[in-house]
Amino acid sequence: MYLPRGYVPEGDGGSAAEYEALTQRVTLWDIAAARQIRVQGREATEFVNYVVTRDVTRLAPMRAAYAVLCDSSGRMINDPLLLKISPDEYWFSISDSDLSLWLKGVNVGKRFDVQIQEIDVSPVQIQGAAANRLMADLIGDVAAEMPAFGLSEAEIAGLPVLVSRTGFSGEAGYEVYLKNSSIHAEQMWNAILRAGEKYGLAVTGPIQPHRISSGILAWGQDVDNEMVPFQVGLAAHIPRSKASDYIGRDALEQMRTEIAAGNHPYKLTMVGLKMEGDPIADYLSDFWLIAPSPDSEPVGFVTSASYAPKLQTNVALARLPVELAVPGTQVYVFEPTSDSTSRSVPAVVSAFPIE
């Protein structure tokens, strides 16, 4: 499902103008690609606890949390935002994929007493320096009262919505989940535009520099179902103490043991990079190869990259061999040129957040 990633033409400022709108004003994003899969029923908590690595019994109702789902070999299926409406109802706000088919397939054999369906709910994100003020205008004092990862039922322009204090911008932000969105989408969208005029609201795509600098992963671009959580810095989301079993637990615990012994069960791991070279103005059309020196063979590749105005340098997410994934390590990125060749650009491995 397509996700709008930019609106401002390069001649009018391009990604730099959208970055300025996020950090100085407020932005509105169409993220309907983050479709909502509802799990509802008497055994909803038991089912969700079986398919995600975290312990959802510790998650209070009307709270959200980042979640990881793995297959039996420990490879990632998806990393959605999980919304716990009640112990009998959860929404998976998915990273664009066919997660509903996976969940239904799991339950063919397990037969938990739940219903699994994609529902007519589509989200937008309101992110940026003035997001708190705009949301207060839209839904009242409840906006300021919401904790991080909190949820609240509300109305915008008389339309029922669910609001979460979440986002992947690195700035203050909210996600608004419009119910019956196939009917009411334009009405709510236009109401937000009108309310945002006094704050200089701009419609943009997700802002790359903040996402990359914060180490926020894009499904299908930075992470996919060939990877395991330990490769992408998600060890904290694989708890040792979860009381009940979940899909992939045995494989993940075996990997944890191997990693502790220095025997990594994978060759490449995710790192941040600070890159020299001309400012990167657009999304990469392909992965850029990385080598330990300008004249050596490639050993890794860049998955996402952008110019970060705050840092005044290019930043990137990349996969590198474990032995090179040490902050301060010098590597070289092969940046394509207009004549179909490439040039080597120095880069330094960085921890997250990239500073």
Side-chain angles (χ1 to χ4, degrees):
M1 186 172 183
Y2 285 120
L3 172 71
R5 69 183 191 188
Y7 288 79
V8 180
E10 283 304 311
D12 296 329
S15 58
E18 296 191 353
Y19 178 89
E20 188 273 338
L22 174 73
T23 56
Q24 302 299 319
R25 304 192 308 278
V26 64
T27 59
L28 173 63
W29 310 353
D30 172 5
I31 59 160
R35 306 190 309 278
Q36 304 303 300
I37 311 302
R38 182 175 66 193
V39 175
Q40 188 175 36
R42 182 176 61 85
E43 295 182 312
T45 292
E46 290 83 354
F47 175 79
V48 173
N49 216 31
Y50 179 66
V51 297
V52 305
T53 61
R54 71 179 306 134
D55 187 350
V56 302
T57 64
R58 299 184 178 184
L59 185 63
M62 295 303 286
R63 295 300 299 267
Y66 180 73
V68 175
L69 296 89
C70 294
D71 65 16
S72 59
S73 67
R75 290 181 171 86
M76 292 176 64
I77 295 295
N78 205 240
D79 64 335
L81 186 69
L82 179 66
L83 314 181
K84 185 172 184 176
I85 313 302
S86 74
D88 297 329
E89 182 176 358
Y90 294 78
W91 295 3
F92 288 89
S93 186
I94 66 174
S95 302
D96 189 26
S97 74
D98 291 322
L99 183 61
S100 61
L101 300 180
W102 168 260
L103 297 177
K104 289 178 180 181
V106 167
N107 209 34
V108 167
K110 288 298 182 178
R111 299 187 182 278
F112 286 92
D113 184 8
V114 295
Q115 295 79 47
I116 303 164
Q117 64 182 134
E118 183 173 335
I119 54 178
D120 187 14
V121 172
S122 298
V124 299
Q125 289 205 20
I126 296 175
Q127 303 284 316
N132 293 341
R133 286 176 284 162
L134 174 54
M135 286 303 300
D137 289 351
L138 290 168
I139 66 173
D141 294 341
V142 67
E145 296 166 358
M146 291 174 62
F149 290 92
L151 302 176
S152 180
E153 297 279 0
E155 288 188 353
I156 293 178
L159 303 173
V161 298
L162 182 69
V163 177
S164 64
R165 195 159 188 171
T166 55
F168 47 94
S169 70
E171 294 282 337
Y174 299 79
E175 292 179 80
V176 178
Y177 303 84
L178 174 63
K179 301 178 182 181
N180 299 314
S181 58
S182 61
I183 301 171
H184 300 306
E186 290 85 355
Q187 186 179 344
M188 187 191 76
W189 182 267
N190 291 331
I192 295 173
L193 291 180
R194 289 192 297 271
E197 285 180 0
K198 67 179 181 180
Y199 300 110
L201 180 143
V203 177
T204 74
I207 310 299
Q208 282 279 87
H210 265 32
R211 178 185 74 79
I212 294 170
S213 297
S214 301
I216 299 173
L217 308 175
W219 182 261
Q221 183 172 343
D222 305 307
V223 61
D224 55 40
N225 54 21
E226 292 298 316
M227 305 186 77
V228 301
F230 301 113
Q231 280 179 278
V232 290
L234 296 178
H237 296 275
I238 313 300
R240 297 176 182 270
S241 59
K242 184 173 177 178
S244 58
D245 194 19
Y246 62 86
I247 299 174
R249 182 172 195 159
D250 290 346
L252 291 168
E253 288 305 323
Q254 177 62 34
M255 289 180 203
R256 198 199 307 267
T257 299
E258 293 174 5
I259 292 168
N263 302 317
H264 293 269
Y266 44 82
K267 294 181 178 179
L268 303 180
T269 190
M270 185 66 67
V271 299
L273 293 179
K274 295 174 75 171
M275 294 170 48
E276 297 182 20
D278 297 333
I280 299 170
D282 199 2
Y283 281 66
L284 305 188
S285 59
D286 199 358
F287 298 138
W288 294 358
L289 299 178
I290 306 173
S293 66
D295 55 357
S296 59
E297 290 296 314
V299 294
F301 55 93
V302 172
T303 58
S304 295
S306 181
Y307 180 73
K310 182 179 179 180
L311 301 176
Q312 297 186 332
T313 189
N314 293 318
V315 293
L317 297 171
R319 300 185 200 176
L320 281 177
V322 173
E323 60 271 19
L324 294 179
V326 179
T329 300
Q330 176 85 62
V331 294
Y332 291 84
V333 176
F334 294 104
E335 180 180 357
T337 61
S338 57
D339 60 359
S340 299
T341 60
S342 64
R343 59 175 181 171
S344 62
V345 177
V348 176
V349 175
S350 172
F352 296 115
I354 301 173
E355 297 176 342

